[in-house]
Amino acid sequence: MEHYALKLREHSLKATPQRAAIAEALDTYGHLSVEELYEILRKKFASLSLATIYKNIHIMLENAFVSEVKLPGQKSVYELTKEAHAHLQCTNCHTIEDIALDMECLLSQAKTKTDFDVQTANLVLSGLCKKCR
Ligand SMILES: [Zn+2]
Ligand SMILES: [Zn+2]
């Protein structure tokens, strides 16, 4: 847990036990919705509310400790902020996987081909995973 506390402080976040537990859960499972985080964390913190998770995720987003992954037709999930990458979404079992694509290349192409000032990208590729195929 100390490892996560340290990481939180690196992002100017106060390292509360709940926040460290959120960080640990995201590190373990990769991508989780607020509801899924709540299900995992309430086993540890009996008095925890869904609103507390929302509040913490919101602050962690502001400090770029976590990133939001917006999924078509599904609730947003959250992950620990890492290098820009795309996501694979299984439309059957709803698993989310990271895929290292050259996002820099994509962004620079978008910039040269349009007058649009692209700031962020949220690339989700949908299909069927190995198990569901
Ligand atoms: Zn699947
Ligand atoms: Zn990801």
Side-chain angles (χ1 to χ4, degrees):
M1 272 324 199
E2 196 45 43
H3 161 73
Y4 298 110
L6 211 73
K7 282 237 173 290
L8 283 158
R9 282 188 218 108
E10 275 172 20
H11 287 257
S12 326
L13 286 160
K14 219 174 105 188
T16 64
Q18 282 97 336
R19 285 178 189 170
I22 289 174
E24 189 190 27
L26 291 176
D27 200 17
T28 308
Y29 296 98
H31 310 84
L32 293 169
S33 67
V34 168
E35 286 76 12
E36 287 168 334
L37 275 169
Y38 177 61
E39 287 306 318
I40 293 165
L41 261 72
R42 74 176 184 173
K43 287 173 198 143
K44 262 186 214 166
F45 307 97
S47 62
L48 187 77
S49 70
L50 195 57
T52 306
I53 304 266
Y54 269 107
K55 253 186 257 168
N56 278 311
I57 283 289
H58 186 76
I59 298 165
M60 289 161 121
L61 271 173
E62 277 183 347
N63 292 43
F65 184 76
V66 299
S67 306
E68 183 179 8
V69 185
K70 293 188 180 111
L71 302 163
Q74 222 181 300
K75 276 194 176 151
S76 283
V77 292
Y78 300 88
E79 65 183 351
L80 297 177
T81 301
K82 47 198 144 185
E83 220 168 280
H85 58 277
H87 289 97
L88 296 171
Q89 173 195 34
C90 177
T91 51
N92 186 54
C93 69
H94 302 294
T95 53
I96 309 297
E97 254 181 81
D98 286 340
I99 175 171
L101 291 182
D102 193 344
M103 298 294 279
E104 285 302 318
C105 169
L106 203 79
L107 286 180
S108 73
Q109 274 190 56
K111 278 181 185 169
T112 50
K113 287 183 180 175
T114 65
D115 282 334
F116 205 87
D117 178 24
V118 178
Q119 281 152 355
T120 58
N122 194 22
L123 182 64
V124 179
L125 308 173
S126 302
L128 290 172
C129 75
K130 222 177 177 174
K131 276 190 227 144
C132 295
R133 214 157 43 216

